[in-house]
Amino acid sequence: MRKTVTLSIFSFFLVSCVSTTPPTSPKEQIQYIDLTSDDKKELVNEYWVVEKRQDPKYPVDAAKEGLSGCVDLIVGIKKNGKAGGYKVKKSYPEGVFEKHAAAALNNWQWSASDKNTDKAPVLTSIKLDFMVSNSKNKAEAEKQCGFPHKQ
């Protein structure tokens, strides 16, 4: 009787191990069309049109300090028209505006253009500017971000 119970338990574990199969393929990765270079940046309009854009919130600490700046993000636009992640390409001043830029970008929505019937995902570059009047870093912000301050 004892051998039967032991053999039954052993058989159960053996069958359980055999019936458990590992996944056949890793999680499918999205194949993006890379439009991040300066000469291809405008091509994004041939694939995707911004339907909903949210401006970033200005960080309170940056406003108090009178800082202006910008964040240039590389963003993936997925088949569903939503942001599929981002990477900071450049920011000035570093560590000040990135989180606010990314938070706003996550709320953007794109629709496929008439030419993009397959809803091909793309990587593109989006620059968000943060300007405050009479900023203490006006000259450097203009140089780093390429925008003129308005007084």
Side-chain angles (χ1 to χ4, degrees):
M1 174 79 167
R2 192 175 215 190
K3 288 181 182 180
T4 305
V5 171
T6 305
L7 187 58
S8 296
I9 292 173
F10 178 72
S11 297
F12 174 75
F13 284 118
L14 184 62
V15 169
S16 297
C17 291
V18 170
S19 65
T20 306
T21 56
T24 55
S25 65
K27 188 175 179 180
E28 185 178 329
Q29 292 185 348
I30 299 173
Q31 297 298 314
Y32 289 101
I33 298 170
D34 188 355
L35 303 177
T36 58
S37 63
D38 289 340
D39 61 328
K40 293 182 181 179
K41 196 172 2 179
E42 297 302 318
L43 291 176
V44 71
N45 298 325
E46 293 184 22
Y47 292 90
W48 296 96
V49 178
V50 177
E51 291 292 326
K52 177 185 165 195
R53 177 187 171 124
Q54 179 178 331
D55 290 328
K57 293 181 180 178
Y58 208 96
V60 174
D61 291 341
K64 285 180 182 177
E65 291 182 39
L67 294 177
S68 290
C70 57
V71 180
D72 194 359
L73 299 160
I74 295 174
V75 62
I77 303 172
K78 300 188 302 185
K79 282 184 172 256
N80 63 4
K82 294 185 180 185
Y86 71 93
K87 179 180 178 182
V88 175
K89 184 176 178 181
K90 179 185 173 191
S91 68
Y92 174 80
E94 286 187 26
V96 176
F97 299 110
E98 292 95 331
K99 288 181 184 177
H100 295 274
L105 195 61
N106 281 328
N107 292 313
W108 285 33
Q109 180 68 44
W110 292 265
S111 63
S113 71
D114 293 338
K115 294 180 182 179
N116 190 10
T117 56
D118 293 339
K119 297 184 178 183
V122 300
L123 287 176
T124 189
S125 180
I126 297 174
K127 186 170 139 293
L128 299 175
D129 295 326
F130 294 80
M131 291 182 277
V132 64
S133 60
N134 299 320
S135 67
K136 71 179 187 181
N137 66 339
K138 176 183 175 182
E140 190 62 23
E142 287 177 352
K143 180 181 172 185
Q144 294 290 327
C145 300
F147 58 73
H149 271 74
K150 297 175 184 174
Q151 298 297 329

